[in-house]
Amino acid sequence: MRVPLSWLREYAAVPEQTSAEQLAADLVRVGLEVEAVEHAGADVTGPVVVGRVLEFVPEPQKNGKTINWCRVDVGTHNDADFSDPAFTDGDGQPVVGGARGIVCGAHNFRAGDLVVVALPGSVLPGDFAIAARKTYGHVSDGMICSAAELGLGDDHAGIIVLPEPAGADLGQDAAPVLHLREDVLDIAVTPDRGYCWSVRGIAREASVATGAGWTDPVARDVPAAVDGGYPVRLESAACPLFVALSVDGLDPSAPSPRWLTRRLQLAGMRPISLAVDVTNYVMLETGQPLHAYDADLLGGPIVVRQAEPGEKLTTLDDVARVLDPADLVIADDSGPIGLAGVMGGQTTELRDTTTAVVIEAAHFDAMSIARTSRRHRLGSEASRRFERGVDPRATYAAAHRAAALLVELGGGRLRAGETIAGAVPGVPTQRIDVGLPGRVMGAPIDRDTVLAHLGAVGVGVEEDGDTLRLTPPSWRPDLRDPYDYVEEVGRLYGYERVQPVVPAAPVGRGLSPSQRGRRLVNAALTEAGFVEVVSFPFSSEQDLDRLGVPAGDPRRDLQRLANPLSETQPAMRTTLLPGLFAAVALNRSRSNDDLALFETGSVYFPDPERRVAPRPAVTGRPTDDELAAMDAAIGRQPRHLGAVLTGDWRPAGWTGPAEPAGWRHALAFARTAARALGAELEVEAAEQAPWHPGRCAALSVGGSLLGHAGELHPAVVAAYGLPARTAAVELDLTALLAAAPGRGEVVPVSPFPVVKEDVALVVDESVPAAAVGAALRAGAGELLESLRLFDVFTGPQIGEGRKSLAYALRFRAADRTLTDTETAAAREAAVARAAADVGAVQRS
Amino acid sequence: MSGPNTSYDPVQVTPLDADHVEAMVAEALEAFAAAGTVAELKQARIAHTGERSPLALANREIGALPPQARKDAGMRIGQARGRVNQALAARDAEISAAELAQRLRDERVDVTLPTELAPVGAPHPVTALMDQMSDVFVAMGWEVAEGPELEAEWLNFDALNLPPDHPARSMQDTVFVDPPERNLVLRTHTSPVQVRSLLDRPLPVYVVCPGRVARADEYDATHLPVFHQIEGLAVDEGLTFGHLRGTLEHFARRMFGDETVIRWRPSYFPFTEPSAEVDLQCFVCRGTSVGDPEHPCRTCRSEGWIEWGGCGVVNPRVLEAAGVDSSRYSGFAFGMGVDRTLMFRNNAEDMRDMIQGDVRFSRSLVGGAR
């Protein structure tokens, strides 16, 4: 809501010396969000004065235009020496002095008209400095201004012609006449404060905030129902009250006065015509939306009713709409003539020949208007106010205010008979304990303070001991619950006055094991050299196609969105990889080529049955079944951990050549993550999209599969435009956290000497190293302290299709020094087991 | 070694006279001084203290002397050998020190060479900041609660006093799951986690809820449709607005320093009542940039105050919807944007950087938020 301060001051007696900024700060303190304080007209400086065009000479130009060479009387600013052969007296002698010569390109004026003159030395909006300058063969000693040139709207059609009398002498400052300079508060109104969508409401808050006196522009209450005016019939509960006044004898050519259009403009509305401007003006002032019908276009009684199925209405914005039975309409004999509380219809729109109007000031159910506005995607100044709640008691006063303005400014006549259909709806009262505000705020707010603050916002209070029976003011439909009243007391008491106290929470358990685990994983990965990124959690079928995910794969079951942020990403992701690939692409486009990126985030597997989540009543805790049904409907949302590697893990440097990032780094990533939780990953070869079938590992802990790692499939690399050999890994972090061991055990440390033995085994190339290691371990038994693969070798000596794996074994006993015999036996057992399990032959 | 002498031959004992002994010592000292390396000194040591050295040979002659002379010569030779050994040790120390010094000179390296063990990894700044924010509350005994990002509409709206046609619901343009009739949304705030906490946990409840949320919002330098929040909820007997103030002022001081000044503005949220907006006085310019175009402040855009978050006393309707007896329990709740906090706290300029994955942005807070 944009409020010109002069308007506000008509109703709140804020002292003149209070600056707009000070007032804004006061309003902020009581809870209005003042987004900006504007000083309209401050960009017009210097002598901009009232002048009179004494005479002018039209001068056609070569370019086809005609300019007017004007002699303008600007009073005290006149040039005593001015004379020009174009302007002569009765004797043909040039007139000397008493004016200035000004060139003007506009033609909407006559000799003798009052105009606005920007004299040399003045500056107009856009830093447009006015100086005497030579143009069209004359020295133009100033400029006659249009409204647009002064920042008074977008009317370029011609210069401003002031009505007689101007309200100022020739040569005097034109700003007051134009209502040029004005401070405007731009206020963001929260949804609970519908009444602040009006000068009335803001003025009331200003009065409450500053203690300044206040006059209510809505001074007349709504009388009892009467049907002396235009006939009105209410057929829907969504319209409890409808006031209709008739004004006729209007002069259709009567313009809106400058003060009125200026205020509309400063409030953010466009002046249109007197009757429309007046209804808008009164709406801004009182908060009560009004509508004016051309009385001659109305046929039969006005009926407020629900729309019939399939009924049509063309609204003032030129859109033909099909109505819904839930829409509330205003109708006459011809059918719907307006979407109640939202927008009028074309058939009864005011014309430039309208001389008689019916003014509607009605009250509509907020919910009904909100739904209609949303249904038709049609918001208006009226619907905005009705949705947030308007004061039903303002209807009658607002209608009369509008009628009075039409009479005054448009020469109209208010018809004696008036119609008041329905009545002001009742308001719910509430009881609170007088101590409640203090208890909720945690502040010593005594009885008198509570009563004073409730009174200040217009609440009716009846005291019954410590119980207060409260009746909200008619403009505060938001006041219903006890805490609504507490808030009113609290905000006026002042949040700043409440003593801050840190509550003593009960002993907490710290981070949960899984939260601690996630931090350990994150720390281990970042220390290992991986960089965390965050992506949008969306995906698409195309992504899964590019990844080569086959039909039937769980990742194929995407949860689609009804209104996705991007049409190319219409569903929730089931894998982190496409987001990581996008991050790779962005980085590479910025020449960040060596990348080890990871992300931790949810993936979304929809409920396979696509169940509907219940929406039980909110009066109490839902049943366990209802809560279980909600959890079932949202589907499974495990947290995944993914990484992608490309470029060099370690670029070439002074310590050695580059180490390109590859599949082994992807596996190392997974192992690092698992080890951070005390878990050892089990790794075996696997084939899984989007990985290279020969370079993909399935990753498990305790036999449960957690994810995959390896080099990406060349087709995937191509589909995403990734560098060759890009590697990736994706793990179910939620499952990893669940599979990780609990508190862990400390390893007993033997003080006895170690015995080192090396073993080289030749096996088929297809035998995984992990299997050979496992066999050696199993064969060596308890004495084996550790096993390390230190060489992998292939070559003619070994034989086609064979490879040699060399292991360093360390033997140690917990309780004694091992003998050579014992060690040899354990070593032999290890080799024998490898021979038996994987066909290993010891290399001599 | 020869046995004791039984005959006394004056010629044979010449080497034991004082001058001769002195000459042997001088010769030895000269040789040690002349040795420049450990190897040369070893040669000199063998020559002058070894078994075949003149002093060792002279020592052998002592036994051949008559008892009286034997004592003098023994003392003389003993002293001489002592002097020689001392000189040898001194020279040995000198040479070793010189050689060590030389070696240390020779082994000098350029310690300014890069020494990274691994590439530089880093947590995402939003993760780091969110952890730091959570830790402030964990230190106060609060717990960290989490919940699903794709959420039941009831938990995201209805339970929070946001009925279907409440105008506040239009403040948050929501992403709905298809079809909308399934009543599922991308949570628009982490408040459903607060509701879940009330439903799942025994009272009293003190939790913070960090996490990701989504709104059908603009995507530009100052808006993200997917961003992060940290919300808090305390429900206990006797909690007041004053406790809210105490908690958030403590939080603000931990995040922005002990001098932090907070402004409390009345506001409106359906789930809290009374409600407030919390503004921080700009911790960079302390408000001095307001109306001073010569010294603009980038952090607060010369407004002096930074909007930090919303908060309030929990609306009793929210407690009732979660089955909490609002006549016995009360509470307060608050919520802040993590990405936005990062923006003004750590001078991030373009919010899009937070979700695009540029490694340079991610590496901004290597090691975590401070």
Side-chain angles (χ1 to χ4, degrees):
Chain A
M1 175 76 195
R2 295 171 51 89
V3 185
L5 274 197
S6 69
W7 202 349
L8 181 140
R9 283 195 157 100
E10 283 183 20
Y11 301 106
V14 178
E16 278 303 320
Q17 63 270 23
T18 303
S19 69
E21 281 75 11
Q22 178 57 49
L23 183 59
D26 289 334
L27 290 172
V28 165
R29 198 164 34 75
V30 296
L32 288 182
E33 195 172 327
V34 181
E35 296 208 305
V37 178
E38 289 171 22
H39 302 285
D43 48 0
V44 176
T45 59
V48 177
V49 303
V50 175
R52 189 184 296 283
V53 179
L54 297 175
E55 55 182 318
F56 64 88
V57 182
E59 295 181 354
Q61 303 296 312
K62 284 189 203 123
N63 62 9
K65 273 173 69 173
T66 299
I67 61 104
N68 295 311
W69 172 229
C70 310
R71 194 161 72 92
V72 185
D73 182 355
V74 284
T76 49
H77 294 280
N78 283 336
D79 178 1
D81 300 329
F82 174 74
S83 75
D84 188 278
F87 306 119
T88 54
D89 60 15
D91 302 332
Q93 295 300 309
V95 182
V96 176
R100 286 188 183 223
I102 298 176
V103 171
C104 178
H107 301 280
N108 64 324
F109 63 95
R110 286 173 301 192
D113 276 352
L114 285 170
V115 294
V116 178
V117 182
L119 294 172
S122 60
V123 180
L124 303 189
D127 268 336
F128 180 23
I130 304 298
R133 65 190 183 99
K134 203 151 176 42
T135 179
Y136 294 112
H138 301 285
V139 173
S140 186
D141 203 7
M143 187 176 85
I144 304 177
C145 301
S146 72
E149 282 157 347
L150 291 168
L152 292 168
D154 46 13
D155 186 2
H156 281 275
I159 58 164
I160 296 171
V161 176
L162 297 171
E164 297 280 356
D169 294 338
L170 296 184
Q172 282 193 348
D173 188 1
V177 176
L178 297 168
H179 304 274
L180 180 65
R181 299 214 171 82
E182 177 83 275
D183 292 337
V184 180
L185 300 181
D186 187 358
I187 296 171
V189 179
T190 51
D192 58 328
R193 298 285 181 83
Y195 69 101
C196 284
W197 280 106
S198 66
V199 175
R200 179 195 187 207
I202 304 285
R204 179 157 198 116
E205 288 293 310
S207 152
V208 167
T210 65
W214 131 270
T215 318
D216 193 345
V218 176
R220 299 165 139 194
D221 205 350
V222 182
V226 59
D227 57 1
Y230 199 90
V232 174
R233 213 163 60 230
L234 304 185
E235 294 183 352
S236 168
C239 177
L241 175 63
F242 194 113
V243 173
L245 299 183
S246 297
V247 175
D248 52 22
L250 282 171
D251 172 4
S253 68
S256 295
R258 191 159 295 281
W259 60 265
L260 193 156
T261 55
R262 179 63 172 155
R263 280 185 174 176
L264 287 182
Q265 185 209 357
L266 290 171
M269 295 190 78
R270 241 162 51 86
I272 292 166
S273 68
L274 178 64
V276 174
D277 292 350
V278 161
T279 56
N280 284 335
Y281 183 86
V282 174
M283 173 185 70
L284 290 170
E285 185 168 86
T286 64
Q288 170 65 49
L290 300 174
H291 190 73
Y293 301 91
D294 187 321
D296 296 329
L297 298 177
L298 279 173
I302 288 174
V303 180
V304 188
R305 59 168 170 81
Q306 300 302 129
E308 282 157 25
E311 262 187 323
K312 293 191 178 66
L313 171 69
T314 300
T315 39
L316 289 176
D317 58 352
D318 247 352
V319 176
R321 299 172 189 278
V322 179
L323 303 178
D324 187 283
D327 292 330
L328 186 69
V329 296
I330 315 291
D332 68 359
D333 288 352
S334 69
I337 56 171
L339 209 44
V342 180
M343 193 174 277
Q346 269 188 347
T347 57
T348 55
E349 185 178 4
L350 299 183
R351 303 163 293 175
D352 49 15
T353 54
T354 298
T355 58
V357 297
V358 173
I359 299 167
E360 162 201 310
H363 189 71
F364 301 111
D365 175 62
M367 204 79 90
S368 164
I369 302 303
R371 287 179 182 154
T372 291
S373 172
R374 250 196 296 284
R375 187 177 301 119
H376 294 282
R377 293 202 169 79
L378 177 61
S380 66
E381 293 284 340
S383 70
R384 188 200 332 239
R385 286 173 174 77
F386 280 122
E387 272 182 47
R388 287 162 175 79
V390 298
D391 180 359
R393 285 192 192 279
T395 45
Y396 185 72
H400 269 284
R401 172 87 165 121
L405 285 170
L406 287 179
V407 168
E408 178 192 337
L409 305 173
R413 187 170 60 84
L414 173 62
R415 297 266 293 257
E418 54 191 33
T419 295
I420 297 164
V424 173
V427 290
T429 58
Q430 184 59 260
R431 286 164 183 278
I432 68 166
D433 183 276
V434 71
L436 184 68
R439 283 201 298 280
V440 173
M441 297 304 294
I445 307 178
D446 62 24
R447 183 188 198 97
D448 289 347
T449 309
V450 170
L451 295 177
H453 291 330
L454 289 174
V457 295
V459 175
V461 184
E462 280 175 52
E463 297 176 63
D464 177 9
D466 280 346
T467 301
L468 306 180
R469 216 173 94 88
L470 307 175
T471 307
S474 55
W475 61 89
R476 294 295 304 267
D478 60 306
L479 296 182
R480 291 181 303 163
D481 293 353
Y483 275 48
D484 296 334
Y485 293 97
V486 170
E487 180 169 75
E488 293 303 304
V489 174
R491 74 181 175 102
L492 297 186
Y493 175 78
Y495 290 179
E496 300 284 349
R497 288 173 62 196
V498 176
Q499 194 61 33
V501 180
V502 180
V507 174
R509 291 169 293 184
L511 295 178
S512 70
S514 74
Q515 288 161 353
R516 216 163 36 239
R518 288 207 309 268
R519 289 208 189 175
L520 289 170
V521 167
N522 208 288
L525 293 173
T526 57
E527 277 160 28
F530 292 88
V531 175
E532 191 187 15
V533 297
V534 175
S535 314
F536 285 122
F538 307 117
S539 188
S540 66
E541 291 287 347
Q542 287 77 359
D543 264 327
L544 298 172
D545 293 344
R546 275 197 287 267
L547 292 173
V549 173
D553 186 294
R555 288 171 289 179
R556 275 282 173 193
D557 190 12
L558 291 175
Q559 178 59 69
R560 298 188 65 85
L561 297 169
N563 53 335
L565 297 173
S566 155
E567 290 303 327
T568 60
Q569 300 269 285
M572 299 309 292
R573 67 184 174 193
T574 51
T575 161
L576 301 179
L577 296 180
L580 286 163
F581 297 164
V584 167
L586 175 110
N587 275 290
R588 285 174 46 78
S589 76
R590 296 173 179 180
S591 301
N592 308 328
D593 295 329
D594 298 332
L595 300 168
L597 308 179
F598 80 101
E599 177 167 16
T600 308
S602 298
V603 296
Y604 308 81
F605 297 106
D607 171 22
E609 298 171 41
R610 298 294 196 272
R611 276 168 286 196
V612 170
R615 282 182 51 201
V618 292
T619 45
R621 183 190 167 95
T623 64
D624 289 349
D625 284 350
E626 286 165 337
L627 291 172
M630 288 182 210
D631 281 339
I634 62 175
R636 216 164 56 77
Q637 302 175 40
R639 200 179 288 255
H640 274 201
L641 174 62
V644 60
L645 290 127
T646 180
D648 288 337
W649 171 257
R650 188 198 303 273
W654 65 278
T655 59
E659 179 185 336
W663 63 270
R664 69 184 189 85
H665 297 95
L667 274 149
F669 172 91
R671 286 200 164 99
T672 303
R675 205 163 288 146
L677 299 171
E680 268 312 311
L681 275 189
E682 297 134 27
V683 174
E684 58 184 335
E687 293 189 14
Q688 168 88 351
W691 285 276
H692 185 310
R695 297 185 169 190
C696 173
L699 310 169
S700 321
V701 168
S704 63
L705 179 67
L706 300 178
H708 295 82
E711 185 178 308
L712 289 172
H713 195 292
V716 175
V717 165
Y720 279 97
L722 297 167
R725 307 252 175 248
T726 297
V729 46
E730 182 161 21
L731 280 175
D732 183 336
L733 181 58
T734 304
L736 173 61
L737 287 162
R743 64 176 72 90
E745 282 173 28
V746 166
V747 175
V749 179
S750 164
F752 292 93
V754 73
V755 181
K756 300 177 183 174
E757 295 275 348
D758 287 355
V759 173
L761 299 172
V762 175
V763 291
D764 273 352
E765 216 154 42
S766 64
V767 175
V772 180
L776 285 171
R777 245 179 245 284
E782 286 190 339
L783 295 180
L784 182 70
E785 181 180 81
S786 70
L787 176 81
R788 184 171 64 87
L789 176 70
F790 69 88
D791 193 27
V792 179
F793 181 75
T794 54
Q797 309 94 301
I798 308 297
E800 180 83 1
R802 309 274 284 167
K803 64 183 171 189
S804 166
L805 304 174
Y807 290 89
L809 288 71
R810 287 161 63 94
F811 292 99
R812 194 176 341 228
D815 54 352
R816 65 187 187 283
T817 300
L818 290 174
T819 64
D820 292 350
T821 328
E822 281 179 297
T823 322
R827 182 186 191 281
E828 288 317 312
V831 171
R833 182 66 180 265
D837 286 5
V838 294
V841 176
Q842 189 167 356
R843 199 176 159 207
S844 45
Chain B
M1 195 175 268
S2 52
N5 203 356
T6 50
S7 63
Y8 306 106
D9 179 356
V11 179
Q12 280 189 314
V13 300
T14 308
L16 295 176
D17 73 34
D19 287 352
H20 203 119
V21 169
E22 196 59 35
M24 285 189 287
V25 170
E27 214 174 305
L29 297 191
E30 201 175 316
F32 293 161
T37 65
V38 168
E40 285 169 11
L41 187 63
K42 188 181 174 193
Q43 290 302 316
R45 176 171 59 78
I46 293 167
H48 295 281
T49 69
E51 278 178 23
R52 310 297 307 164
S53 66
L55 273 169
L57 294 175
N59 194 45
R60 287 189 205 172
E61 303 302 327
I62 294 171
L65 292 179
Q68 186 55 46
R70 194 187 297 167
K71 189 184 169 196
D72 290 352
M75 196 188 300
R76 201 155 44 239
I77 295 291
Q79 282 173 351
R81 293 181 88 176
R83 283 168 63 200
V84 167
N85 282 334
Q86 214 176 346
L88 173 65
R91 186 57 185 156
D92 185 47
E94 271 176 33
I95 290 177
S96 299
E99 287 206 343
L100 179 61
Q102 183 59 46
R103 181 178 145 204
L104 295 179
R105 271 196 297 280
D106 292 347
E107 289 179 355
R108 187 180 293 273
V109 297
D110 180 358
V111 295
T112 67
L113 285 170
T115 58
E116 266 73 30
L117 296 174
V120 179
H124 192 275
V126 167
T127 310
L129 185 62
M130 203 148 59
D131 284 352
Q132 192 190 9
M133 290 172 132
S134 300
D135 288 346
V136 173
F137 290 93
V138 172
M140 290 197 288
W142 295 44
E143 294 184 5
V144 178
E146 292 164 308
E149 293 164 19
L150 192 160
E151 188 56 288
E153 210 180 333
W154 189 87
L155 289 158
N156 192 74
F157 288 129
D158 302 50
L160 291 159
N161 194 32
L162 279 150
D165 291 292
H166 197 289
R169 212 145 158 166
S170 70
M171 286 162 72
Q172 305 169 337
D173 287 345
T174 304
V175 179
F176 280 85
V177 158
D178 181 56
E181 293 72 34
R182 287 188 66 207
N183 304 332
L184 299 174
V185 298
L186 298 191
R187 67 181 180 193
T188 58
H189 41 199
T190 55
S191 309
V193 184
Q194 299 188 23
V195 180
R196 285 178 175 276
S197 298
L198 287 178
L199 291 167
D200 295 346
R201 290 166 183 253
L203 292 165
V205 163
Y206 288 79
V207 291
V208 279
C209 317
R212 167 136 81 170
V213 304
R215 293 183 193 171
D217 203 348
E218 304 293 309
Y219 178 43
D220 58 33
T222 54
H223 296 89
L224 286 182
V226 176
F227 56 100
H228 299 80
Q229 279 193 329
I230 185 163
E231 295 191 358
L233 170 75
V235 174
D236 202 342
E237 291 181 65
L239 288 183
T240 69
F241 190 88
H243 292 119
L244 168 64
R245 276 201 61 176
T247 303
L248 281 193
E249 291 185 7
H250 173 76
F251 184 29
R253 284 192 291 268
R254 294 285 72 73
M255 297 307 298
F256 303 99
D258 286 340
E259 309 304 313
T260 305
V261 177
I262 276 191
R263 179 171 76 172
W264 294 80
R265 278 190 291 122
S267 188
Y268 168 76
F269 305 103
F271 25 88
T272 51
E273 180 134 34
S275 302
E277 293 265 7
V278 179
D279 300 343
L280 302 169
Q281 189 184 55
C282 179
F283 49 87
V284 174
C285 75
R286 299 269 169 222
T288 57
S289 69
V290 180
D292 182 2
E294 299 295 309
H295 303 95
C297 178
R298 203 176 76 166
T299 301
C300 66
R301 277 178 264 127
S302 298
E303 288 172 6
W305 294 96
I306 301 163
E307 284 185 27
W308 194 29
C311 59
V313 173
V314 178
N315 193 316
R317 287 172 181 264
V318 174
L319 296 179
E320 293 295 335
V324 174
D325 178 359
S326 67
S327 67
R328 182 172 163 204
Y329 289 97
S330 60
F332 60 84
F334 54 86
M336 278 84 197
V338 180
D339 315 66
R340 237 187 64 73
T341 302
L342 184 73
M343 218 170 165
F344 63 77
R345 184 177 182 271
N346 301 75
N347 287 330
E349 292 221 322
D350 190 327
M351 286 202 117
R352 287 169 293 199
D353 287 340
M354 299 190 194
I355 198 126
Q356 285 181 340
D358 191 309
V359 286
R360 294 168 298 172
F361 178 81
S362 281
R363 285 198 180 113
S364 310
L365 301 182
V366 168
R370 292 170 294 276

